Amino acid sequence: MTAKIISGPQLREEILEEITQEVEAIKARHGVVPGLVTILVGEDPASISYVTLKIKTAHRVGFHEIQDNQPESISEDELLSLIEKYNRDDKINGILVQLPLPKQINDQKIINAIDPDKDVDGLHPVNAGRLMIGGDAVKFPSCTPAGIQEMIIRSGIPTEGAEVVVVGRSNLVGKPIANILLQKAKGANATVTLVHTRTKNMADHCKRADILIVAAGVPNLVKTEWIKPGACVIDVGVNRVGEKISEKTGKTIAILKGDVDFETAKEVAGSITPVPGGVGPMTITMLMKNTLNSLKFKLGI
Ligand code: GUN
């Protein structure tokens, strides 16, 4: 049996099209569009490429977008003042500060300064708390976990009463996706187990999973023998294992591998996300959705 491949780019296109149409409708009815600012500090190449793609995508779906680049030497106070400026800016519904930040700046202090109602990254403690409470309290689920849930739902994978095993307990992925899938809600209602580096018998837990979500950042951590035949496997790992020359552009690009061995896992799983081309494209897509929702909350629609 070969698994159904869950394609991130295909779902991205579907969701971005829905967002574009909603933006046009809101513009026609209310005369406003969602506004997103991305704040990039320094010149880390990976951060530049992420932020560029975020802004390009925001432009594509019809948002008002600002890319605010700041030098590596910016002080914590200067960055806090900049965030305050965007907190007060009526045209801005979403503020994203690209992480990591330089050493002189405390990441959490900066995240805490963002207005929780503009924290479209879902990283502010208020939004982490809202996610924990669930239901109507949730405003901005963090983007990668929200994207994972969307992939599961749109692929028709049943979650009701399903055994979900999440590998990895990070604040960015593991903890929030566990919270999302155990909510009393459609596309959730699962029995969730979260396993991590100190878990005994990680293999035994994984073997029970109807839905196995792996976000450990360790290439090939999950062995193919640990996958229950027919399970849905969501691989969140993005591990740079080398470099190659791109056939398309002739440029040197990273060779990426997930936390699961895709080639053998796809012969056992019922459905699976590849790396690249799986969860990755969903993160930016959900950032757009959160920014659109931020404007909708403000307008009360
Ligand atoms: N750096 C890597 N991933 C992320 C993310 O999801 N949000 C932000 N703000 N920075 C990141």
Side-chain angles (χ1 to χ4, degrees):
M1 185 178 71
T2 296
K4 173 188 167 194
I5 309 299
I6 304 176
S7 162
Q10 193 182 323
L11 291 172
R12 172 188 62 202
E13 293 308 305
E14 198 177 301
I15 299 168
L16 289 183
E17 186 49 40
E18 292 166 11
I19 293 173
T20 306
Q21 286 181 12
E22 237 189 296
V23 170
E24 279 170 13
I26 291 173
K27 190 175 174 185
R29 187 124 191 243
H30 300 273
V32 285
V33 295
L36 174 69
V37 59
T38 59
I39 300 173
L40 171 67
V41 179
E43 290 173 12
D44 172 65
S47 291
I48 292 173
S49 84
Y50 284 135
V51 166
T52 306
L53 193 55
K54 285 169 187 175
I55 283 294
K56 228 169 107 181
T57 310
H59 182 77
R60 172 184 162 184
V61 295
F63 289 1
H64 161 58
E65 85 280 0
I66 299 175
Q67 180 167 352
D68 192 329
N69 293 351
Q70 294 293 328
E72 181 89 20
S73 58
I74 191 171
S75 71
E76 197 171 79
D77 282 347
E78 285 167 327
L79 191 53
L80 288 169
S81 303
L82 192 66
I83 288 170
E84 200 39 50
K85 179 179 101 171
Y86 290 118
N87 279 344
R88 281 188 263 106
D89 186 337
D90 243 11
K91 287 206 178 87
I92 293 297
N93 307 102
I95 301 171
L96 179 132
V97 181
Q98 187 66 26
L99 302 174
L101 292 166
K103 290 188 296 295
Q104 74 275 17
I105 298 172
N106 178 326
D107 289 12
Q108 195 59 50
K109 198 165 168 188
I110 298 301
I111 291 167
N112 291 354
I114 299 172
D115 177 348
D117 290 340
K118 294 190 177 187
D119 167 43
V120 287
D121 233 0
L123 300 180
H124 192 285
V126 166
N127 285 314
R130 286 168 169 166
L131 191 66
M132 183 95 173
I133 292 165
D136 292 343
V138 182
K139 284 203 157 175
F140 306 118
S142 42
C143 301
T144 302
I148 293 170
Q149 186 189 31
E150 202 69 39
M151 289 184 115
I152 293 171
I153 294 173
R154 287 181 188 244
S155 305
I157 311 289
T159 56
E160 188 87 22
E163 288 274 357
V164 172
V165 176
V166 178
V167 182
R169 55 179 157 181
S170 69
N171 287 334
L172 261 181
V173 184
K175 283 192 237 167
I177 191 61
N179 260 319
I180 288 173
L181 293 177
L182 60 78
Q183 301 294 350
K184 198 171 196 172
K186 241 177 102 198
N189 275 325
T191 302
V192 181
T193 305
L194 213 164
V195 304
H196 49 77
T197 43
R198 302 294 169 94
T199 298
K200 290 176 189 153
N201 304 325
M202 191 186 283
D204 290 345
H205 288 288
C206 292
K207 283 176 186 173
R208 274 202 328 271
D210 301 312
I211 301 173
L212 181 59
I213 300 171
V214 193
V218 180
N220 293 343
L221 174 76
V222 167
K223 309 295 171 233
T224 297
E225 311 86 81
W226 300 2
I227 298 170
K228 179 162 128 179
C232 168
V233 178
I234 308 282
D235 189 352
V236 194
V238 183
N239 305 296
R240 288 163 191 258
V241 295
E243 289 184 337
K244 64 177 180 186
I245 306 291
S246 162
E247 280 174 26
K248 252 203 253 167
T249 63
K251 286 188 187 162
T252 305
I253 53 167
I255 300 172
L256 302 179
K257 287 255 184 260
D259 292 350
V260 176
D261 178 36
F262 178 75
E263 286 309 318
T264 53
K266 78 178 187 339
E267 301 304 322
V268 179
S271 53
I272 187 166
T273 59
V275 177
V279 175
M282 297 301 286
T283 301
I284 293 180
T285 306
M286 300 319 286
L287 177 70
M288 301 303 132
K289 188 152 183 179
N290 278 349
T291 307
L292 169 62
N293 283 342
S294 178
L295 175 63
K296 287 168 72 178
F297 293 139
K298 188 174 158 195
L299 295 173
I301 56 174

